[in-house]
mmCIF file of all heavy atoms in Angstrom:
data_model
loop_
_atom_site.group_PDB
_atom_site.id
_atom_site.type_symbol
_atom_site.label_atom_id
_atom_site.label_comp_id
_atom_site.label_asym_id
_atom_site.label_seq_id
_atom_site.Cartn_x
_atom_site.Cartn_y
_atom_site.Cartn_z
ATOM 1 N N GLU B 15 20.734 15.216 -8.853
ATOM 2 C CA GLU B 15 19.939 16.378 -8.495
ATOM 3 C C GLU B 15 19.915 17.356 -9.665
ATOM 4 O O GLU B 15 20.948 17.629 -10.280
ATOM 5 C CB GLU B 15 20.506 17.055 -7.244
ATOM 6 C CG GLU B 15 19.582 18.099 -6.650
ATOM 7 C CD GLU B 15 20.034 18.593 -5.283
ATOM 8 O OE1 GLU B 15 21.195 18.326 -4.929
ATOM 9 O OE2 GLU B 15 19.216 19.212 -4.577
ATOM 10 N N GLY B 16 18.731 17.852 -9.987
ATOM 11 C CA GLY B 16 18.579 18.763 -11.114
ATOM 12 C C GLY B 16 18.207 18.080 -12.412
ATOM 13 O O GLY B 16 17.755 18.743 -13.363
ATOM 14 N N ALA B 17 18.394 16.787 -12.479
ATOM 15 C CA ALA B 17 18.040 16.051 -13.692
ATOM 16 C C ALA B 17 16.535 15.811 -13.737
ATOM 17 O O ALA B 17 15.832 15.918 -12.737
ATOM 18 C CB ALA B 17 18.786 14.718 -13.726
ATOM 19 N N SER B 18 16.059 15.460 -14.932
ATOM 20 C CA SER B 18 14.640 15.158 -15.078
ATOM 21 C C SER B 18 14.370 13.723 -14.632
ATOM 22 O O SER B 18 15.275 12.884 -14.573
ATOM 23 C CB SER B 18 14.198 15.352 -16.527
ATOM 24 O OG SER B 18 14.885 14.440 -17.362
ATOM 25 N N LEU B 19 13.108 13.455 -14.359
ATOM 26 C CA LEU B 19 12.704 12.149 -13.817
ATOM 27 C C LEU B 19 11.454 11.656 -14.519
ATOM 28 O O LEU B 19 10.532 12.447 -14.789
ATOM 29 C CB LEU B 19 12.412 12.276 -12.318
ATOM 30 C CG LEU B 19 11.781 11.066 -11.623
ATOM 31 C CD1 LEU B 19 12.782 9.928 -11.520
ATOM 32 C CD2 LEU B 19 11.242 11.453 -10.258
ATOM 33 N N GLU B 20 11.416 10.383 -14.820
ATOM 34 C CA GLU B 20 10.174 9.753 -15.254
ATOM 35 C C GLU B 20 10.067 8.393 -14.604
ATOM 36 O O GLU B 20 10.965 7.550 -14.763
ATOM 37 C CB GLU B 20 10.074 9.613 -16.772
ATOM 38 C CG GLU B 20 8.742 8.988 -17.222
ATOM 39 C CD GLU B 20 8.509 9.100 -18.724
ATOM 40 O OE1 GLU B 20 9.481 9.058 -19.495
ATOM 41 O OE2 GLU B 20 7.322 9.216 -19.128
ATOM 42 N N LEU B 21 9.010 8.165 -13.873
ATOM 43 C CA LEU B 21 8.723 6.873 -13.245
ATOM 44 C C LEU B 21 7.569 6.229 -14.011
ATOM 45 O O LEU B 21 6.519 6.844 -14.190
ATOM 46 C CB LEU B 21 8.353 7.043 -11.772
ATOM 47 C CG LEU B 21 9.391 7.726 -10.886
ATOM 48 C CD1 LEU B 21 8.909 7.762 -9.445
ATOM 49 C CD2 LEU B 21 10.736 7.043 -10.983
ATOM 50 N N ARG B 22 7.769 4.986 -14.380
ATOM 51 C CA ARG B 22 6.790 4.315 -15.220
ATOM 52 C C ARG B 22 5.725 3.579 -14.422
ATOM 53 O O ARG B 22 6.004 3.015 -13.360
ATOM 54 C CB ARG B 22 7.499 3.342 -16.162
ATOM 55 C CG ARG B 22 8.430 4.028 -17.148
ATOM 56 C CD ARG B 22 9.049 3.022 -18.080
ATOM 57 N NE ARG B 22 9.998 2.144 -17.403
ATOM 58 C CZ ARG B 22 10.457 1.016 -17.929
ATOM 59 N NH1 ARG B 22 10.036 0.605 -19.107
ATOM 60 N NH2 ARG B 22 11.348 0.295 -17.277
ATOM 61 N N CYS B 23 4.531 3.600 -14.974
ATOM 62 C CA CYS B 23 3.410 2.880 -14.372
ATOM 63 C C CYS B 23 2.518 2.373 -15.493
ATOM 64 O O CYS B 23 2.065 3.155 -16.329
ATOM 65 C CB CYS B 23 2.611 3.780 -13.435
ATOM 66 S SG CYS B 23 1.068 3.042 -12.835
ATOM 67 N N ASN B 24 2.260 1.086 -15.502
ATOM 68 C CA ASN B 24 1.300 0.506 -16.435
ATOM 69 C C ASN B 24 0.212 -0.200 -15.642
ATOM 70 O O ASN B 24 0.498 -0.814 -14.618
ATOM 71 C CB ASN B 24 1.994 -0.488 -17.376
ATOM 72 C CG ASN B 24 2.949 0.204 -18.313
ATOM 73 O OD1 ASN B 24 4.147 0.277 -18.065
ATOM 74 N ND2 ASN B 24 2.414 0.749 -19.380
ATOM 75 N N TYR B 25 -0.993 -0.105 -16.119
ATOM 76 C CA TYR B 25 -2.098 -0.681 -15.378
ATOM 77 C C TYR B 25 -2.911 -1.595 -16.285
ATOM 78 O O TYR B 25 -2.868 -1.507 -17.505
ATOM 79 C CB TYR B 25 -2.996 0.416 -14.802
ATOM 80 C CG TYR B 25 -3.733 1.186 -15.872
ATOM 81 C CD1 TYR B 25 -4.991 0.784 -16.301
ATOM 82 C CD2 TYR B 25 -3.141 2.295 -16.474
ATOM 83 C CE1 TYR B 25 -5.649 1.467 -17.305
ATOM 84 C CE2 TYR B 25 -3.792 2.978 -17.476
ATOM 85 C CZ TYR B 25 -5.039 2.562 -17.895
ATOM 86 O OH TYR B 25 -5.683 3.221 -18.896
ATOM 87 N N SER B 26 -3.651 -2.458 -15.624
ATOM 88 C CA SER B 26 -4.606 -3.309 -16.326
ATOM 89 C C SER B 26 -5.935 -3.141 -15.624
ATOM 90 O O SER B 26 -6.039 -3.383 -14.412
ATOM 91 C CB SER B 26 -4.166 -4.776 -16.269
ATOM 92 O OG SER B 26 -5.159 -5.621 -16.811
ATOM 93 N N TYR B 27 -6.926 -2.685 -16.393
ATOM 94 C CA TYR B 27 -8.231 -2.444 -15.795
ATOM 95 C C TYR B 27 -9.285 -2.474 -16.864
ATOM 96 O O TYR B 27 -9.084 -1.932 -17.944
ATOM 97 C CB TYR B 27 -8.230 -1.092 -15.070
ATOM 98 C CG TYR B 27 -9.434 -0.884 -14.199
ATOM 99 C CD1 TYR B 27 -9.630 -1.683 -13.085
ATOM 100 C CD2 TYR B 27 -10.383 0.068 -14.509
ATOM 101 C CE1 TYR B 27 -10.747 -1.525 -12.289
ATOM 102 C CE2 TYR B 27 -11.499 0.239 -13.718
ATOM 103 C CZ TYR B 27 -11.680 -0.561 -12.605
ATOM 104 O OH TYR B 27 -12.785 -0.411 -11.825
ATOM 105 N N GLY B 28 -10.419 -3.095 -16.581
ATOM 106 C CA GLY B 28 -11.427 -3.313 -17.605
ATOM 107 C C GLY B 28 -12.315 -2.137 -17.915
ATOM 108 O O GLY B 28 -13.011 -2.130 -18.918
ATOM 109 N N ALA B 29 -12.320 -1.149 -17.058
ATOM 110 C CA ALA B 29 -13.210 -0.006 -17.270
ATOM 111 C C ALA B 29 -12.369 1.265 -17.192
ATOM 112 O O ALA B 29 -11.155 1.228 -17.211
ATOM 113 C CB ALA B 29 -14.307 -0.014 -16.221
ATOM 114 N N THR B 30 -13.044 2.388 -17.109
ATOM 115 C CA THR B 30 -12.316 3.652 -16.978
ATOM 116 C C THR B 30 -11.652 3.697 -15.610
ATOM 117 O O THR B 30 -12.323 3.612 -14.588
ATOM 118 C CB THR B 30 -13.275 4.838 -17.121
ATOM 119 O OG1 THR B 30 -13.903 4.770 -18.393
ATOM 120 C CG2 THR B 30 -12.502 6.138 -17.000
ATOM 121 N N PRO B 31 -10.344 3.823 -15.600
ATOM 122 C CA PRO B 31 -9.653 3.769 -14.304
ATOM 123 C C PRO B 31 -9.562 5.132 -13.638
ATOM 124 O O PRO B 31 -9.586 6.165 -14.297
ATOM 125 C CB PRO B 31 -8.259 3.294 -14.707
ATOM 126 C CG PRO B 31 -8.045 3.935 -16.050
ATOM 127 C CD PRO B 31 -9.401 3.951 -16.716
ATOM 128 N N TYR B 32 -9.479 5.084 -12.338
ATOM 129 C CA TYR B 32 -9.009 6.231 -11.574
ATOM 130 C C TYR B 32 -7.561 5.907 -11.221
ATOM 131 O O TYR B 32 -7.264 4.807 -10.761
ATOM 132 C CB TYR B 32 -9.834 6.430 -10.316
ATOM 133 C CG TYR B 32 -11.161 7.107 -10.540
ATOM 134 C CD1 TYR B 32 -11.586 7.479 -11.808
ATOM 135 C CD2 TYR B 32 -12.015 7.373 -9.480
ATOM 136 C CE1 TYR B 32 -12.808 8.107 -12.009
ATOM 137 C CE2 TYR B 32 -13.237 8.003 -9.670
ATOM 138 C CZ TYR B 32 -13.627 8.358 -10.936
ATOM 139 O OH TYR B 32 -14.841 8.975 -11.119
ATOM 140 N N LEU B 33 -6.668 6.852 -11.423
ATOM 141 C CA LEU B 33 -5.236 6.602 -11.271
ATOM 142 C C LEU B 33 -4.624 7.577 -10.284
ATOM 143 O O LEU B 33 -5.004 8.752 -10.240
ATOM 144 C CB LEU B 33 -4.537 6.707 -12.628
ATOM 145 C CG LEU B 33 -4.965 5.634 -13.628
ATOM 146 C CD1 LEU B 33 -4.727 6.090 -15.055
ATOM 147 C CD2 LEU B 33 -4.217 4.334 -13.345
#
Side-chain angles (χ1 to χ4, degrees):
Chain B
E15 192 170 14
S18 63
L19 171 70
E20 182 168 33
L21 302 183
R22 296 182 291 165
C23 172
N24 293 96
Y25 68 91
S26 173
Y27 191 66
T30 301
Y32 281 2
L33 295 156

